[in-house]
Each structure stands twice: as structure tokens, then as C-alpha cells.
Amino acid sequence: MKRFLAILCAAAVCILLALGFRVRAAGKSDYSKQDVQKLLRFLLGDPADDLTGEEPYDLNTDGTWNATDITLMKQELHTVPQSNMLVVYFSRTGNTEKIAEEIIRSTGADRFVIEAAQPYSDADIRYQDDTCRANLEQNDKSVRPEIAQMPASLDGYDVIWLGYPIWWGEEPRIIDTFLENVDLSEKTVIPFCTSGSSGISTSERNIRALVPIGDLRAGKRFAASASAADIQTWIDGMELPVKKTETKIQISVNGQTLTAVPADTEAAAALAEKLRTEPLTLKLNEYGGFEKVGKLPWALPRSDSQISAQAGDILLYQGNQMTIFYGENAWSYTRLARLENITQAELAALFGSGDVTVTLSLDAE
Ligand SMILES: Cc1cc2nc3c(=O)[nH]c(=O)nc-3n(C[C@H](O)[C@H](O)[C@H](O)COP(=O)(O)O)c2cc1C
């Protein structure tokens, strides 16, 4: 029984690993991929990984961690958005899923798979048979096949990528079930589909007519054989809403950690999105006796204006360089953030007279 439980748990953890998840328990530590790998090794019986006393895993604080804790981790996985985008898809034979995988890989979006409460068997989708379940459903616009489990909430998601196969020229009715059970009135929805040859436009019209959607973008039909490059080209051509963040930026320099409040600019939001993926370590060069400046690994959106920079300002220079001011200078910049709770004298002393290396990350608070 114990062994069976361990196998069950291991399977659950494998799924979590495959999802590349990162779970944050209220008031507890982050659960990284490495944590879960350690957990998996323990479950598989590696004596080097005895987790007894590893309090962070014990989510319900009952003194042990077990299948209940894993269930809690899974619940958190579903309730803590890791991105402002969610890829929702239904895929019976895996073609649409392949496209969804690529979108997730490219954008870092979260995933929700629509599964029928009563799964579609092979016979159910044998469209050559007029009386197969899929054909009967598609012939009746009012049918709403039940979904096994709806997402707990779409709060925190600005963008929903919605994927499905084309069945008889339209979206499968189970997509209508999904649409009628969520509130998309303030979301950006991007439909995508796969098909033998039919286009996406009829399903787009159906979706538009079915429920209110904040911003329904033009969708895209892919062949099952679509390449990663095809999908990437489509994604690149899309202007996606950037998540607004209240989160502060942490800046580690010479052993001290400072916090900065992001500016209300597109550049600041884009920087936060980058830092959400991973921290950034930058070498900054001394310049002019008033700033440290370094080249970013990517360009950020410019909205330059003449700024009288003060000590503590973190500004974007020429779209791809970050400057941290410990003195003053007037020039054309885009605001990124402003350091808080530190004086000009403290800043000057901390940054010193030479080059410095800083690490930026998102504040965990
Ligand atoms: C019941 C049914 C109806 C279908 N109708 C169409 C259609 O009208 N036009 C088309 O091009 N392909 C049609 N197809 C093919 C699917 O759209 C195509 O195989 C799709 O990629 C399957 O996606 P999936 O693997 O994500 O389930 C149909 C398939 C089924 C099972």
C-alpha cells in the first residue's frame, strides 16, 4: 500500500515537473523545480534525500508531508498564476496540443487543458459515422458537453489563448461550454485551431456571438504539421498586453540589497516581466561622477523625455542601457524605477568610484 502511494505521489510530482511549475505557499518558501526533483527522489526511495523535518513541504503543518501536501501543492499550482497569460485548449488527438505546447514554451504562459467529463473515445470522433457523438454534438448548436474540471479562477490572467480542433467547420461544442462558464469580458482572447483544411473564421464568429469578450483578437488556423517557427512568427506579430506590476525591484550591490519602485512606463513593465523569468546580473561602468551605466541583454520600449535625473533614479538610456544615478544629470531618458530609503551620500558610498556588478530581481514581498 505504501509503495502504491509512493508511485501515485511520484506520478503527481512527475506531472508537476513536466509543467515546470513554481508554487508559492502562503507565508512559506517557494517550491522550485529543484525542490520537486528532490521530493521525487525521496518518493522513489533515495535514502540520500530524507525529507523528514523539511518543514516547507509540510503544507498543512501536521508534522509530516504526504499525499495531502502534494494535493495542496497541486491546488496552489492551479490558483497561483505564474504568468498573466493562460493557454486553454481542447485537443482530442494531440494536434492542437502541439501548438499549445509551443505557445507555452515561447511565452511562459500557464496551461489549462479542457477535458470532457465523459472523455471522447475513438468511436465518438469517427466523423465518417453520421451518428458518432462528435457529429451529433456538432449538429446541435445547443449541446454543451460537460467539462471534467473548470479552472478555479481566471483572475490574474490578462490574456487567454484558446485552442481547439475544427469539427465540422466549427469549434467543438465543449469550447462553448467553457466560454459560457467563465467571464472573459475584460480579457484578451486569442483563438487558435488545427484542422485538416478548414479555416478558423466560422468558429471566431461563433465565439464572438456567444459571450462578451474584452478584446477578441484575430485567430489563427494551423496545420497539424505547423513548425515551431510558424508559431513563433505568429506570436511575434502580436502586440500583447503587458502585466502591470506593483511589485518592487530588488537590487543587490556590494553585499547590500536595495529596493526600487518601478516607474509607470512600458519599459518598467517589460523589465518586470523579464525579471519575473529570472534575475539579471549586470556589470555597470562608472560614468561622469554621477551614474553607473551598463548594457541590458535586451532592448526595452523607449518613451524618452528630457529628465533631470536625481540620485536614486534608475533610467533607460538609448533603449538598451540601464543607468543608476548616485548624482544628477539632465538628459533624454525613459524612467524604469526609483530607489527608495537611501540618501545620495549613502548611494555614492555604496556604489563607490569604480565599476560595480548589480543583480536585479523581483521583490518577493
Ligand atoms: C468530428 C471531427 C470533425 C472534423 N471536421 C473537420 C472539418 O470540418 N474541417 C477540417 O479541416 N478538419 C476537420 N477535422 C479534422 C481535425 O480538425 C484535425 O484533425 C485537428 O487537427 C484535430 O485536432 P486535435 O488533434 O487537437 O484533436 C475533424 C475531425 C473530427 C474528429
Side-chain angles (χ1 to χ4, degrees), residues 38-276:
K38 196 171 164 198
L39 188 57
L40 178 60
R41 283 200 305 274
F42 174 79
L43 285 164
L44 293 175
D46 184 336
D49 281 298
D50 182 357
L51 297 184
T52 314
E54 290 256 1
E55 184 262 341
Y57 293 104
D58 183 13
L59 293 196
N60 60 353
T61 55
D62 66 352
T64 61
W65 71 263
N66 50 31
T68 313
D69 298 310
I70 289 178
T71 304
L72 287 170
M73 287 167 91
K74 282 175 77 177
Q75 279 169 9
E76 287 183 51
L77 172 68
H78 287 118
T79 54
V80 182
Q82 303 298 301
S83 159
N84 70 327
M85 299 198 276
L86 180 68
V87 178
V88 175
Y89 63 91
F90 169 71
S91 178
R92 171 50 186 78
T93 53
N95 295 337
T96 310
E97 180 156 59
K98 274 196 299 189
I99 311 294
E101 293 287 358
E102 199 50 41
I103 298 170
I104 291 165
R105 194 198 58 74
S106 166
T107 65
D110 290 345
R111 168 205 313 258
F112 181 80
V113 185
I114 297 176
E115 286 179 34
Q118 184 195 339
Y120 289 87
S121 67
D122 289 347
D124 286 343
I125 60 160
R126 196 168 297 126
Y127 56 82
Q128 300 85 345
D129 173 1
D130 287 348
T131 60
C132 78
R133 174 182 168 195
N135 289 14
L136 294 176
E137 288 178 0
Q138 294 307 107
N139 276 334
D140 181 350
K141 275 191 177 295
S142 69
V143 171
R144 295 292 180 266
E146 193 186 334
I147 292 175
Q149 195 193 351
M150 286 294 288
S153 163
L154 295 185
D155 290 355
Y157 294 112
D158 301 319
V159 179
I160 309 294
W161 305 76
L162 181 64
Y164 47 86
I166 295 295
W167 282 3
W168 294 109
E170 300 184 317
E171 74 287 3
R173 299 284 171 244
I174 197 165
I175 293 294
D176 300 344
T177 311
F178 175 82
L179 291 169
E180 286 178 348
N181 283 282
V182 287
D183 179 4
L184 299 173
S185 59
E186 291 182 7
K187 310 284 184 199
T188 295
V189 174
I190 308 171
F192 63 97
C193 72
T194 61
S195 72
S197 61
S198 299
I200 197 170
S201 54
T202 306
S203 65
E204 280 180 311
R205 275 198 301 278
N206 290 349
I207 291 170
R208 189 180 298 282
L210 194 64
V211 289
I213 292 179
D215 178 12
L216 179 62
R217 298 287 179 91
K220 172 92 176 154
R221 176 258 167 192
F222 292 96
S225 59
S227 68
D230 293 337
I231 300 161
Q232 191 59 51
T233 305
W234 172 60
I235 294 171
D236 288 345
M238 200 116 47
E239 268 204 14
L240 298 169
V242 182
K243 190 182 180 84
K244 290 223 178 335
T245 178
E246 298 299 316
T247 314
K248 292 180 182 175
I249 296 171
Q250 280 191 337
I251 299 168
S252 305
V253 51
N254 291 331
Q256 195 172 323
T257 301
L258 308 174
T259 55
V261 180
D264 190 12
T265 59
E266 257 192 77
L271 175 64
E273 276 304 300
K274 297 282 188 193
L275 297 180
R276 203 174 297 284

Side-chain angles (χ1 to χ4, degrees), residues 291-310:
E291 71 173 35
K292 307 288 181 191
V293 57
K295 193 161 184 305
L296 293 162
W298 5 257
L300 295 174
R302 280 173 87 163
S303 49
D304 287 353
S305 62
Q306 186 70 14
I307 290 176
S308 293
Q310 306 292 312

